[in-house]
Amino acid sequence: MLGRLNHVAIAVPDLAAASAVYRDTLGARVTEPQALPEHGVTVVFIDVGNTKIELLEPLGEGSPIAAFLAKSPSGGMHHVCYEVDDILAARDHLKASGARVLGDGNPKTGAHGKPVLFLHPKDFQGTLVELEQA
Amino acid sequence: MLGRLNHVAIAVPDLAAASAVYRDTLGARVTEPQALPEHGVTVVFIDVGNTKIELLEPLGEGSPIAAFLAKSPSGGMHHVCYEVDDILAARDHLKASGARVLGDGNPKTGAHGKPVLFLHPKDFQGTLVELEQA
């Protein structure tokens, strides 16, 4: 079921500063910031060849990463996103296995315009897992 | 400088239980456990096609992931590992940029038998970064 790793997401308090570290210190290509008000974040992507790193900065009130950054003010790894061929079949299999799907259980449209779901970190060794329709 | 993402490492308190989740719930292929006493961990790898997930369980006294699991008993994302073409050139560039290299600054032999270095998470938005000679 589990497909390729689409991205690793890292929550950061200052997207411009974090982008500079990846660009200047690590020598990576960083995209322009993209505001996603419906997700409460501003993002940049870093293409490392085989997958992407997504840097997330809170946007607006009630950002879903605000609590994470309150606990880890300097930032940290926030989630991993795997591709799946059929997100509804994956969801149904996971629910039948006892894993909890966050929200109302229906896919939302993610940063790449594709359906996504998040799984409860307590069911995956403390790791927040995003699934994205391939 | 930054090459492909070699793996994402997740620290887990119970490698057998975590392997079962990835194998049975997520439908992934999980390797047999490999004890690395010189690194203080037992590991399995999960090949997701474009990269790998590494599950780490503490091994022996003074495991480098013991403190992490004491803080996050159910586990969590521990580090990301990027490949670099020339690990000594990468180290020297990073040190010149002000980033801190952990340990004595000399590469050690990692889980794949290649030279690796770890970078201070405070210099990378709370993310522990491993570099591995490609």
Side-chain angles (χ1 to χ4, degrees), chain B residues 50-74:
Chain B
N50 58 333
T51 187
K52 293 185 293 289
I53 307 299
E54 179 185 51
L55 303 182
L56 304 168
E57 181 189 62
L59 175 63
E61 296 297 310
S63 169
I65 63 169
F68 181 94
L69 285 168
K71 207 172 158 189
S72 303
S74 54

Side-chain angles (χ1 to χ4, degrees), chain A residues 2-5 82, chain B residues 22 28-29 46-53:
Chain A
L2 206 62
R4 62 201 295 282
L5 183 76
Y82 299 104
Chain B
Y22 278 79
R29 279 168 303 165
I46 297 153
D47 185 348
V48 295
N50 58 333
T51 187
K52 293 185 293 289
I53 307 299

Side-chain angles (χ1 to χ4, degrees), chain A residues 1-6 8-14 17-19 21-22 24-28 46-53 55 74-80 82 93-94 97 99 119 121-129 131, chain B residues 1-6 8-14 17-19 21-22 24-28 46-53 55 74-80 82 93-94 97 99 119 121-129 131:
Chain A
M1 187 188 85
L2 206 62
R4 62 201 295 282
L5 183 76
N6 185 278
V8 178
I10 297 173
V12 304
D14 181 337
S19 296
V21 166
Y22 279 80
D24 303 333
T25 308
L26 291 171
I46 298 153
D47 185 347
V48 295
N50 58 332
T51 187
K52 294 186 292 289
I53 307 301
L55 303 182
S74 54
M77 286 183 273
H78 185 263
H79 68 266
V80 284
Y82 299 104
H93 167 76
L94 287 161
S97 307
L119 308 178
K122 286 210 186 302
D123 296 331
F124 298 94
Q125 289 73 47
T127 301
L128 178 61
V129 175
L131 298 180
Chain B
M1 184 188 86
L2 206 62
R4 63 200 294 283
L5 183 74
N6 186 278
V8 178
I10 297 174
V12 303
D14 180 337
S19 296
V21 166
Y22 278 79
D24 304 333
T25 308
L26 291 171
I46 297 153
D47 185 348
V48 295
N50 58 333
T51 187
K52 293 185 293 289
I53 307 299
L55 303 182
S74 54
M77 286 183 273
H78 185 263
H79 68 265
V80 286
Y82 299 104
H93 166 76
L94 287 161
S97 306
L119 309 178
K122 285 209 185 305
D123 296 331
F124 298 93
Q125 289 74 46
T127 301
L128 178 60
V129 174
L131 298 180

